[in-house]
Amino acid sequence: MDSLRYAILGPLRLVHVQGQPLKAAKPRQLLATLLLHPNRFVSTDLIADALWESSPPRSATANIRTYVRALRGVLQDAGLPAPIDTSAAGYSIEVGVDELDASLFESLLAEGGHLRDAGDGRQAMQVLSRAYSLWRGRPLDDLPMPAAWEGSIARLEAQHRGLVDNLLDLRLEYGDASGAAVLLSARLTDDPYDEQLWRRLVDALVAAGRVGEARAAYQKAVQTLADELDIKPGPELEAAGARAENGRSANWPNPGIPADRTAERPEPTAQPGPMAAPELTDPVRPPSQLPLDLADFSGRQGHLEQLRDLVCGRDPVRPPIAVISGAPGTGKTSLAVRLGHLVREYFPDGQIYLDMHGATQPRDPAAALTDLLLSLNLPDFAIPTDPERRSAMLRSELASRRVLIILDDVAAAGQVTPLMPGTGASAVVVTSRNRLMDLAGADSMPLDTFDDREAAVLLSSVAGSGRIDASSPEAEEILTACANLPLAIRIVGSRLAQRPDLSARELARRLRDETSRLDELSIGELAVRTSADLSYDALNPEEARLYRLIGHFAVGVFSARALEAVASPAAVRRSLDRLIEVNLVRISSVDQRGTARYRVHDLLRLHALGVGDDEQKAQAVRDVETVVEAILNKIRRANDALSFEYFGVLEHTGPLTAPDPSPFTEADAIAWLDSERSTFVPAIRAAAQNGLHDHAWRIAAAWGPYLDLRAGFDDWNGSHQQGLLSAIECGDRHGEAIMHRNLGQLAVYQDDWDNARRHFDAAAEVFAEVGDRLGEGVVAVGLGTWLRERGQRDEGLAQYEKAIEAFVEDGNGNAEALARTAAANVYLVRGDLDTARSLLAQAFLIAVRRADAHREAKVRRRIAALRVNQGRHDEAVRQLRKALAIFDGMGDDHCAAYTRALLGQALMERGEVAAARKTLLDAIDIGHRLGDRSVEGEAAQHLGELYLSTGSLDNARRTLERAARVWQQAGNDGAATACRRLLAGSETGVAAG
C-alpha cells in the first residue's frame, strides 16, 4: 500500500505528505468530489452542488476554475502530480487503482470475492482483511457532507457492510475467533439491536477463550434490548448466553479447561516433560483433608474456571497462590472447597485444609507450620523448634511435591506468609474477609454477591423440589430481602426445606420488616448477623463509629467527602480503607476525576444499624444529622456562587447557618455538584429514614438550580418525591408547595401533562395559603405554559400576566423577565409581533441590567424566534449563536438543545443546508438523551422539512415519521398532525411525478 496517494475512507488525507498542505475549505471539497468519481469527468453543476449545496453563487463557474488552479498547484508542490483534466464535460482527476484507497478497496473486494467463489477461502480472507484495514471511518467525515455526495458515500458504506459480513463468515469458518469478535463489535456499534450479531459475538468470544468478555457481552445485549426495545433475548441469543456461562461455544471446541483433565497427565510410565514437577520416589499416605463439598453448590462458575486455570497452571518457578476475599456470607469457603474437590487429581501428593480462625482467634503461624509439616507425614521429632527453620523445611518439602493447601479464614498476610511454598508445583488457596493486598505473589479474586440468576438457582436448589418457583413474586421478594447474599439465600432455602408448614409467601412477609430481617436470617449455626459480628468485632472504636454511621446514612452510594463532617478527611479515609479491607464496605465506582463512590451491602447496612449500645446508636443518628446538615449548607454555598438566578423558590434565602470557610467559585461549585451528584438522593432518603424530614425536603429543594441546569430528570424525580413526603411528614406547608411546583415543572419537561397540572394546582393553593407571592408567580408561569401547550393560549396569557404582576410586587426582576418572555411567545404565535417585540425588549433590558447571562441567553433565543417570524434570518442566527455559546459554556444541555433546534431552522432558511442538518441532528440527539420529547420532535420536524427542500425524500419520510411519533408521545397532537400532513404531501408529490 506504499503507492497510496489519496485516502477518502475516513478523513480526507494526502498520504505520505508531511503536514496538511491543503487547508482551504473549497479546494478540499473539490478534491473530495473528484476523488469520489475517479478517472471520470464530473460536471460543473455537480461540483457546484457539492461546494454550495443548492444555492451556488452567480460566479460559481469562475470560482471553480480558480479552485482547480489552486488545487493543481498544491498537489504538484506536495509531490502528487495527479493530472486534473478539463473538458466541456467538467473536470476529472486521474489516479491509479493503487493510488486511491477507495479504488484499492473496491479492487480488493472484487479479488476477495473471486477467490472465495473459487473455493480458496483462506486466501480470500487475507485479501478481504487488507480491504478492511483501509477503512478508517465514515468516508470524508472531516468535511461537510453535501447531498451531492450521499449516493457515492452510501455505495461505499454498503460495500463496507458487505465486506464485514463476508470477512466475518470467513474468520468464523477458519477459526479466527478474535478477529471475528473485532468485526462483530464494530458492526454492533452501528446496529446495537441485532440479536444475531450479539449471538455471534458471544460465541466468538467464547471460542477465543475470552469467556469473561463473552458473559459481559451477553449481559450488555440483554440490557440494550431491554432498555431500548423493551424485549427479552430470543432463544438463540439466550442459548449463546448459556454457552458463555458454561465456557462452550456453538462453533468451536471448549476453549476453557475441560471438565476431565486426566488425559492431560502423563501415564505413570511416561517420562515427565520439562514442565512437570518431580514425582516422589517413596510416596506415603498423601493427606486428603478437604471438608465435605456442598451437594447443592451452585453459581461461581466463572470464578471456578479462573481458579482452576491458576492452580493447575504448572508453572515450575512460581507456585500459584490465590486469595479469595469477600464480605461475610459471600461463600468464600464453599468456593475454595468446591475447587479443591474439582482439582484433587491434579495434586496427587495431597490436599491439606487448615482453618486459620482469622475472624475469632487467629491461629499462630508457627503452630500452623507444625500442622502442615505433620500433614505431609513428617515425624514430629524431625520438626524444628525454630519457626523460621520450620518455614524453610516446608518450602523444601513442597518443592518436590504437588500439594494443594487451602488456608481458610485468614486474618492478615503476616499470618500465612511463612506458610507459602517457594518453588515447585504445589498451590495455595487462601480465603479471607480481608483483601490481603500485601501477600506477595498472590492473585486476588474478590467475591461479590450472586447475580439474579445465580441467586434464583441457589434458592431453588437448597429449598428442594417443588418448594418455591424461582420466577414467582415471592421468590423475587425473598431474594431482594437477601440482597443476593449466598449465606442469606442458603439460610432461607434451608428454612423452606426443613419447614413444610412455612410457605414462601409467609417467609417473604416476615422478611419485609427490616428491623427483624436479620433475626429471620438464622438457622442452626448459620446466621448472617453472627457472620457480620465477627468482622465488626475486629474494628477499632473509630472504625466502628464510621461503620455505624454508614449503616444509618448509606441507603445508596456515597462519597468519602460526605462523611468528613464527623471526622477529619484523613480519619475518614483511614477508617474507610479498613472497612474496605475487611469487606464491610466496597467501592461502587470511580469517576473520571478519580473520586470513588462507596456502597454497603443491604444486609450489612441492617447489621450496622443494630450494633452498638443505646448511646452509640443515638450517636450514629446525631452523626447522620451532622452529615446531612453539612451537605445542605454546602449546596447553599454552591448556589450562592452560581452566576444565574434560579427561576423557582429556594428553601432558604437568608445567611448560611454555618460559616463559609472558603467561598466557591462558580466553576468549583458546579464541579462539586457534578462530583457529588450520586450522593444527594441517597442522602435525602437517609435523612427521611432517620426522621430528619426537614433536612430531606430542604436538600431536594436546594438542589433545584443544579437539576434544572443539568436536566437531571431522574435525580429530580427521586429527590422530590421523597422531599414531598418529608415536607408533609414534618408539616411544612411551604416546603410542600415548593416540592409540588418543582415536580410540576419536571412533568412539563417530560410531557406528563396530567401530573403537571395536578402538582401545579396543589402548589398554587398552598403558596396562596402561606402568602408567598414569588411562589404564586412561579406556579402561574407553569400553569401558563401548561395551558399554552394544551392549545389554550388566551388562558395561558392570563396566567403569564398574573405572574408578571406578582413578580413586580415581589421585586424579582429575573422572574419578571422570564414571565415577559413567556408572554411574548403567545403573542408571537398570534402574529402580534409588535407586542412580542416590546415584551422581549423589556425582558432583555432586565437581564442585562442584572448581569444574568443565563436569562439573557434565554431572552436572546426568543428574540431569534421573533426574527425568524419577521424573515430576518441573519439576525436570528447571530442571536442564537450568542445564546448557544452561553448555554454551552454553562453546561446547560437542555436550553442548548432548544437553541440548536431553532438555529437549525434559521440556518435552513438561510440556505446553509449542511450546517442546518448537523445542528438539527445534535438537537435531536440531546433531546432524546434527556428524554425531552418536545425538543426532539421540534428538531426532527425541522430536519424533515430540510430533507424535503433538498429532494431527499427517503430521509424526509423517515425523519418526519419519527417527528410525528415523538410529538404523539409528547401529547402534542397538532404538531404530530402537521408532520403527517407534510408526509402526505411528499408522497403525493412523488406519485404525481
Side-chain angles (χ1 to χ4, degrees):
M1 299 183 189
D2 289 340
S3 56
L4 269 183
R5 293 183 173 184
Y6 305 95
I8 64 173
L9 300 181
L12 177 64
R13 286 175 50 202
L14 303 181
V15 184
H16 303 311
V17 174
Q18 296 296 321
Q20 177 57 272
L22 188 60
K23 297 180 180 178
K26 294 302 183 186
R28 286 173 62 80
Q29 287 285 103
L30 171 61
L31 176 60
T33 304
L34 296 177
L35 291 173
L36 282 170
H37 308 84
N39 305 310
R40 292 164 49 197
F41 281 99
V42 183
S43 70
T44 305
D45 289 342
L46 180 59
I47 293 174
D49 284 343
L51 268 58
W52 294 284
E53 288 279 354
S54 57
S55 56
R58 293 180 181 178
S59 59
T61 301
N63 289 351
I64 291 172
R65 284 198 296 269
T66 301
Y67 298 146
V68 169
R69 284 196 299 271
L71 182 56
R72 284 175 175 146
V74 169
L75 295 181
Q76 188 164 0
D77 291 342
L80 299 171
I84 299 178
D85 291 338
T86 306
S87 76
Y91 298 89
S92 169
I93 186 168
E94 183 179 338
V95 292
V97 170
D98 293 340
E99 294 176 333
L100 173 64
D101 62 354
S103 298
L104 180 57
F105 176 79
E106 292 181 298
S107 174
L108 291 170
L109 285 187
E111 181 184 353
H114 174 74
L115 288 167
R116 185 176 187 183
D117 292 342
D120 193 351
R122 190 173 297 279
Q123 185 63 28
M125 181 171 66
Q126 294 177 3
V127 171
L128 293 178
S129 294
R130 284 183 63 205
Y132 181 79
S133 68
L134 291 169
W135 194 270
R136 296 174 292 113
R138 190 162 192 248
L140 300 170
D141 63 359
D142 61 331
L143 297 176
M145 199 66 61
W149 291 358
E150 288 180 354
S152 299
I153 289 177
R155 175 178 55 81
L156 288 169
E157 290 180 327
Q159 289 176 330
H160 180 254
R161 288 192 295 271
L163 162 69
V164 171
D165 287 338
N166 288 329
L167 186 55
L168 177 60
D169 289 339
L170 288 167
R171 288 183 175 176
L172 292 175
E173 182 180 349
Y174 289 97
D176 181 8
S178 291
V182 170
L183 292 172
L184 287 162
S185 297
R187 279 291 306 276
L188 282 164
T189 301
D190 298 326
D191 194 359
Y193 312 123
D194 189 325
E195 283 193 70
Q196 288 304 314
L197 290 178
W198 281 113
R199 190 266 303 165
R200 296 172 83 182
L201 176 61
V202 172
D203 277 334
L205 288 169
V206 172
R210 295 150 61 181
V211 177
E213 292 177 58
R215 295 186 184 118
Y218 176 73
Q219 292 303 321
K220 185 176 181 182
V222 172
Q223 192 68 45
T224 299
L225 295 173
D227 290 349
E228 300 296 333
L229 304 179
D230 195 26
I231 63 173
K232 294 182 178 179
E236 292 185 4
L237 177 55
E238 197 169 37
R243 288 192 291 272
E245 282 298 318
N246 295 326
R248 288 174 168 77
S249 165
N251 300 315
W252 287 273
N254 173 22
I257 298 168
D260 180 8
R261 293 194 168 206
T262 55
E264 295 180 13
R265 296 200 313 275
E267 295 297 326
T269 58
Q271 292 297 318
M275 301 294 283
E279 297 284 348
L280 287 177
T281 57
D282 184 23
V284 290
R285 290 190 306 110
S288 183
Q289 301 175 357
L290 294 176
L292 181 67
D293 190 16
L294 292 174
D296 50 16
F297 180 93
S298 65
R300 306 294 190 205
Q301 191 61 38
H303 293 88
L304 276 173
E305 289 177 3
Q306 293 177 48
L307 286 166
R308 188 162 56 178
D309 273 342
L310 175 63
V311 301
C312 300
R314 296 287 199 278
D315 186 336
V317 177
R318 175 181 172 268
I321 303 168
V323 175
I324 304 173
S325 63
T330 48
K332 302 178 290 295
T333 300
S334 299
L335 176 61
V337 170
R338 165 54 62 99
L339 172 71
H341 284 283
L342 283 177
V343 301
R344 283 185 61 187
E345 295 183 1
Y346 293 91
F347 297 95
D349 299 320
Q351 308 88 43
I352 301 174
Y353 175 86
L354 216 58
D355 188 345
M356 301 299 290
H357 300 294
T360 51
Q361 296 179 326
R363 184 187 291 232
D364 178 59
L369 281 167
T370 299
D371 290 342
L372 286 174
L373 291 169
L374 289 173
S375 296
L376 292 173
N377 295 303
L378 271 74
D380 53 4
F381 62 80
I383 297 175
T385 57
D386 178 56
E388 290 187 7
R389 292 182 60 201
R390 284 184 219 170
S391 182
M393 177 178 281
L394 177 65
R395 291 194 295 272
S396 297
E397 290 296 326
L398 293 177
S400 59
R401 305 181 191 230
R402 284 212 301 267
V403 178
L404 175 67
I405 301 173
I406 296 179
L407 303 174
D408 193 23
D409 191 17
V410 171
Q415 189 186 15
V416 293
T417 297
L419 281 56
M420 296 296 106
T423 189
S426 292
V428 180
V429 177
V430 175
T431 75
S432 178
R433 294 169 182 241
N434 302 327
R435 293 179 178 267
L436 305 188
M437 293 179 287
D438 52 344
L439 183 58
D443 288 274
S444 177
M445 179 167 289
L447 289 191
D448 204 342
T449 55
F450 274 170
D451 62 30
D452 291 344
R453 187 192 64 81
E454 291 175 324
V457 170
L458 178 61
L459 178 61
S460 298
S461 176
V462 177
S465 177
R467 283 297 282 130
I468 187 167
D469 178 1
S471 62
S472 66
E474 293 83 7
E476 183 177 346
E477 187 174 356
I478 289 170
L479 292 173
T480 299
C482 293
N484 287 4
L485 186 71
L487 174 60
I489 297 169
R490 185 166 292 282
I491 290 170
V492 295
S494 298
R495 295 189 72 185
L496 288 173
Q498 296 177 22
R499 291 279 306 277
D501 60 318
L502 179 63
S503 69
R505 179 174 298 178
E506 172 61 16
L507 179 58
R509 185 194 66 77
R510 294 182 184 182
L511 291 171
R512 283 180 203 143
D513 185 357
E514 286 193 348
T515 60
S516 62
R517 184 176 299 166
L518 290 181
D519 295 327
E520 293 291 335
L521 296 176
S522 174
I523 186 170
E525 294 185 358
L526 295 179
V528 173
R529 189 193 304 279
T530 302
S531 180
D533 280 344
L534 294 174
S535 293
Y536 174 73
D537 291 341
L539 302 177
N540 68 31
E542 186 179 66
E543 296 159 356
R545 178 181 177 182
L546 192 71
Y547 178 64
R548 293 190 296 270
L549 164 60
I550 289 172
H552 286 77
F553 176 72
V555 294
V557 297
F558 62 96
S559 70
R561 284 188 294 193
L563 307 179
E564 290 172 2
V566 298
S568 69
V572 167
R573 280 164 175 75
R574 187 167 56 246
S575 294
L576 266 179
D577 286 345
R578 175 61 177 156
L579 293 175
I580 292 169
E581 183 183 351
V582 299
N583 285 293
L584 290 175
V585 171
R586 65 182 178 88
I587 296 176
S588 175
S589 63
V590 180
D591 65 19
Q592 65 272 19
R593 302 175 183 84
T595 303
R597 294 290 180 277
Y598 305 91
R599 183 182 292 277
V600 63
H601 189 277
D602 280 352
L603 294 181
L604 292 177
R605 180 179 61 81
L606 296 182
H607 175 262
L609 285 171
V611 295
D613 57 30
D614 290 343
E615 172 53 31
Q616 287 172 329
K617 292 176 181 176
Q619 180 62 54
V621 175
R622 292 195 295 271
D623 285 344
V624 172
E625 184 172 11
T626 300
V627 168
V628 296
E629 178 73 17
I631 289 173
L632 178 57
N633 275 291
K634 201 161 185 179
I635 295 175
R636 290 169 177 170
R637 288 174 50 211
N639 286 340
D640 285 347
L642 299 179
S643 61
F644 62 89
E645 288 192 54
Y646 169 58
F647 181 73
V649 182
L650 289 170
E651 50 80 40
H652 176 84
T653 55
L656 296 174
T657 56
D660 189 352
S662 55
F664 277 119
T665 65
E666 182 173 34
D668 288 342
I670 293 176
W672 177 76
L673 289 164
D674 283 340
S675 67
E676 292 299 306
R677 177 172 178 166
S678 61
T679 297
F680 296 143
V681 173
I684 291 166
R685 295 197 192 109
Q689 288 186 10
N690 285 277
L692 305 170
H693 291 291
D694 188 62
H695 287 84
W697 81 258
R698 287 185 184 278
I699 292 175
W703 202 19
Y706 172 80
L707 292 170
D708 209 357
L709 175 70
R710 285 287 191 254
F713 295 163
D714 289 342
D715 288 335
W716 191 328
N717 184 63
S719 61
H720 280 65
Q721 292 291 354
Q722 179 59 62
L724 177 60
L725 294 175
S726 286
I728 294 171
E729 183 69 26
C730 67
D732 194 311
R733 294 287 281 166
H734 191 233
E736 185 180 339
I738 294 173
M739 294 294 99
H740 273 303
R741 179 269 162 188
N742 291 358
L743 285 168
Q745 186 62 41
L746 172 63
V748 167
Y749 286 154
Q750 296 185 311
D751 308 303
D752 185 358
W753 302 107
D754 291 342
N755 272 326
R757 186 59 190 260
R758 179 173 63 84
H759 284 299
F760 281 147
D761 286 344
E765 178 183 346
V766 180
F767 276 132
E769 172 192 319
V770 300
D772 185 337
R773 289 293 283 151
L774 174 62
E776 289 183 80
V778 170
V779 175
V781 170
L783 285 168
T785 301
W786 191 95
L787 292 163
R788 184 192 72 202
E789 292 296 319
R790 310 310 292 160
Q792 303 174 52
R793 296 191 183 93
D794 292 342
E795 294 87 344
L797 184 59
Q799 288 290 338
Y800 291 146
E801 290 170 346
K802 175 182 175 182
I804 293 171
E805 180 182 342
F807 297 144
V808 170
E809 180 181 329
D810 188 70
N812 192 313
N814 170 57
E816 180 190 345
L818 183 142
R820 291 186 183 278
T821 305
N825 290 341
V826 178
Y827 285 108
L828 274 177
V829 175
R830 283 183 174 180
D832 186 349
L833 303 187
D834 289 339
T835 304
R837 180 184 54 77
S838 175
L839 286 165
L840 289 171
Q842 293 167 351
F844 187 74
L845 184 62
I846 293 171
V848 171
R849 286 177 175 173
R850 297 176 66 86
D852 187 337
H854 194 261
R855 178 61 51 209
E856 175 190 332
K858 287 191 170 184
V859 179
R860 282 185 184 277
R861 192 175 75 213
R862 300 324 305 166
I863 291 174
L866 171 65
R867 299 304 183 221
V868 169
N869 275 272
Q870 293 172 327
R872 296 158 64 180
H873 299 107
D874 291 346
E875 293 182 35
V877 168
R878 281 197 296 273
Q879 293 285 358
L880 289 166
R881 283 177 171 157
K882 289 179 180 177
L884 189 57
I886 294 172
F887 291 138
D888 283 344
M890 290 182 167
D892 187 346
D893 288 348
H894 197 213
C895 288
Y898 277 98
T899 306
R900 283 185 169 86
L902 187 55
L903 177 58
Q905 180 189 10
L907 289 169
M908 178 176 63
E909 297 292 343
R910 283 211 315 186
E912 297 183 38
V913 175
R917 181 168 63 244
K918 183 180 185 308
T919 303
L920 291 170
L921 285 170
D922 288 345
I924 291 170
D925 287 343
I926 296 171
H928 183 71
R929 172 168 57 82
L930 297 179
D932 190 321
R933 298 186 182 95
S934 293
V935 68
E936 183 183 356
E938 179 183 339
Q941 183 173 345
H942 291 326
L943 183 60
E945 294 166 349
L946 183 148
Y947 282 133
L948 282 177
S949 70
T950 59
S952 183
L953 298 182
D954 287 342
N955 285 332
R957 286 192 200 96
R958 284 195 299 270
T959 309
L960 287 171
E961 285 170 356
R962 174 179 181 171
R965 184 170 62 251
V966 171
W967 280 127
Q968 198 75 51
Q969 292 169 347
N972 193 329
D973 295 336
T977 300
C979 290
R980 294 193 178 99
R981 193 177 298 120
L982 285 168
L983 269 171
S986 70
E987 291 167 356
T988 302
V990 171

